[in-house]
Amino acid sequence: MPQELIFQTDEMEYGKQTMIDYGGVPLLVEMDDNHDYRVIRIMSSDPCDYLDERYCPGTILSNKKF
C-alpha cells in the first residue's frame, strides 16, 4: 500500500505552498514562520538546475531577495 494512503497530508499544509521563480528556476516552496521560503521541489526541466546547490530541497531562501 502506498505511503500516501497511510500518511495523508493535511489540506492546510498545501495552503502554505506556492510556486516562485528564483533566479530563472521555477520552485515549489513553503513559507515558514519567519516569512522565508523553504524549497520543497524543483519544477525545472533543465537537468543542470538539479545539480545547483542553491535549489536543493530544504534550502531556505530569504523572502527579502524577491
Side-chain angles (χ1 to χ4, degrees), residues 8-66:
Q8 295 182 7
T9 304
D10 185 17
E11 296 277 334
M12 298 289 291
E13 292 298 314
Y14 293 114
K16 298 178 191 176
Q17 297 178 3
T18 188
M19 290 285 296
I20 64 168
D21 189 293
Y22 185 76
V25 178
L27 301 170
L28 179 65
V29 297
E30 179 178 67
M31 186 174 281
D32 65 10
D33 296 333
N34 297 329
H35 300 288
D36 291 330
Y37 292 114
R38 182 176 60 87
V39 177
I40 296 175
R41 183 176 296 152
I42 302 169
M43 304 302 285
S44 175
S45 60
D46 184 354
C48 293
D49 292 335
Y50 290 86
L51 300 174
D52 193 329
E53 292 180 6
R54 294 177 292 174
Y55 312 124
C56 290
T59 300
I60 304 296
L61 305 173
S62 174
N63 195 13
K64 296 176 181 118
K65 294 181 181 178
F66 297 100

